[in-house]
Amino acid sequence: MTAVFSHGRLRLYLLRLLDDGPKHGYELIRLLEDRFLGLYAPSAGTIYPRLQRLEAEGLVTHTAAGGRKTYEITEAGRAELRQRADELAALESDIAASVEDLSALAGEIRNEVRGSVRDLKRELREATRQTKQERRPRWEAANFPP
């Protein structure tokens, strides 16, 4: 699996998400988490510096309300999306492939954990059975009538 968001691609995807409408940073984090089926979520330390850089470049603006900054794409940001449409399409394809890979990996891990849990339960039942046998009086363990 390759790094989906290498070389400024997260920046491009943030613009894409903001093109759908204004959002605050936490919303962007959740949208990315949802896009990756909960298997990846960027940290605030990843998202907010990129939003600040996008704002410094004039590609997004923000408004503050209730202690939250809501970011909105500018016309310059939309122009960059149009200029990089092919790159964005490739990124969407890479994200879909990555999600598929992550889902397959998660399924494999889930199956391994289920198998391990089954094995552990079987071992616990056997240990319980052996402990009960060891605690029975000798005449009962030897199947002598009481």
Side-chain angles (χ1 to χ4, degrees):
M1 183 169 54
T2 59
V4 173
F5 290 126
S6 61
H7 307 295
R9 295 175 92 195
L10 177 57
R11 174 185 181 277
L12 179 62
Y13 203 69
L14 289 173
L15 286 174
R16 208 277 297 130
L17 291 174
L18 289 171
D19 194 38
D20 290 340
K23 294 170 183 56
H24 56 82
Y26 184 75
E27 280 180 283
L28 292 166
I29 291 169
R30 291 299 139 238
L31 285 169
L32 282 160
E33 184 177 24
D34 290 347
R35 180 67 180 95
F36 283 88
L37 305 176
L39 300 170
Y40 164 76
S43 68
T46 297
I47 296 300
Y48 287 104
R50 282 172 177 78
L51 290 171
Q52 289 171 345
R53 185 172 294 147
L54 288 169
E55 188 168 22
E57 294 171 4
L59 302 175
V60 302
T61 60
H62 84 270
T63 55
R68 278 194 168 161
K69 288 182 179 181
T70 300
Y71 294 87
E72 187 171 353
I73 193 168
T74 63
E75 195 49 48
R78 285 188 181 87
E80 181 163 329
L81 281 177
R82 286 190 298 273
Q83 290 170 347
R84 298 175 67 187
D86 290 344
E87 189 179 341
L88 183 57
L91 175 57
E92 289 282 6
S93 177
D94 290 349
I95 289 172
S98 181
V99 167
E100 190 175 311
D101 289 347
L102 286 170
S103 294
L105 180 61
E108 289 173 19
I109 291 169
R110 185 174 36 252
N111 289 338
E112 287 182 27
V113 167
R114 283 182 183 154
S116 295
V117 168
R118 259 192 312 272
D119 292 346
L120 181 60
K121 285 180 178 179
R122 186 178 24 211
E123 289 173 17
L124 286 171
R125 280 191 304 269
E126 180 60 24
T128 300
R129 187 188 62 72
Q130 287 178 358
T131 301
K132 285 180 180 178
Q133 276 187 337
E134 290 170 4
R135 288 184 178 172
R136 289 190 345 205
R138 288 185 196 267
W139 58 267
E140 193 176 320
N143 288 327
F144 290 120

